Amino acid sequence: MARLQHDMIFINLPVSDLAASKRFYTGLGFKENTVFSDEHTASFEVSDAIVVMLLETARFSDFTKRPIVEKNGSREVLNCLSVCSTEDADEFVRRAQEFGGTITRELAAEGPMYGGAFDDPDGHDWELMYFDPEALAQMMPEG
């Protein structure tokens, strides 16, 4: 069966303090798209293909009948962003701490990978991963 084509991913996150979340995601270097933001939501462009939608908890509830995981409660998803270098990973973590995030896994090398993780102010997990392209090429099967 052929894989269906998808152009973008929208990550929708419930937040308890929209202003604090906006400061955090702006601090990471993501660009707010004001066309898709209002007094209860904020849209942030992570890349050309990734958008984070921050929705106040009451607004988030408009999209689901299921209970919302409480701030800093259980985990349902781990969001992982690839970065272009170890230096980018280091800078991402520095910014996360500066703008209210919590480091949940210190940056470290694991074989050809380098990464760590942090929570945003509402406890949503973001992992970072850099994979050395030369090491990756050596791991790929020939042909």
Side-chain angles (χ1 to χ4, degrees):
M1 180 178 291
R3 184 175 73 171
L4 298 173
Q5 181 67 36
H6 303 280
D7 296 328
M8 298 178 74
I9 184 167
F10 291 81
I11 301 169
N12 297 282
L13 301 174
V15 298
S16 60
D17 182 339
L18 185 60
S21 294
K22 286 175 68 170
R23 279 190 302 277
F24 179 78
Y25 285 95
T26 298
L28 290 181
F30 299 163
K31 182 178 183 249
E32 184 176 5
N33 182 336
T34 57
V35 172
F36 298 107
S37 299
D38 62 26
E39 63 275 5
H40 303 290
T41 64
S43 174
F44 280 88
E45 298 170 358
V46 178
S47 72
D48 290 342
I50 304 168
V51 175
V52 172
M53 293 295 299
L54 307 174
L55 298 98
E56 288 180 342
T57 305
R59 180 68 176 126
F60 188 91
S61 295
D62 292 340
F63 296 96
T64 182
K65 293 180 185 199
R66 294 176 59 184
I68 297 171
V69 174
E70 292 190 31
K71 181 177 177 176
N72 294 316
S74 302
R75 292 245 192 257
E76 183 171 322
V77 66
L78 302 173
N79 300 299
C80 184
L81 291 175
S82 63
V83 293
C84 297
S85 67
T86 58
E87 293 81 11
D88 283 356
D90 294 341
E91 178 62 12
F92 234 106
V93 165
R94 186 195 68 72
R95 290 181 186 187
Q97 283 184 297
E98 179 181 346
F99 291 97
T102 303
I103 305 308
T104 58
R105 187 166 34 91
E106 295 294 331
L107 291 165
E110 283 188 47
M113 295 184 296
Y114 179 81
F118 59 88
D119 281 354
D120 76 2
D122 280 279
H124 301 295
D125 184 81
W126 289 94
E127 296 185 336
L128 302 171
M129 189 267 304
Y130 168 71
F131 205 104
D132 180 350
E134 290 179 18
L136 179 61
Q138 292 176 6
M139 296 172 71
M140 298 301 285
E142 302 245 355

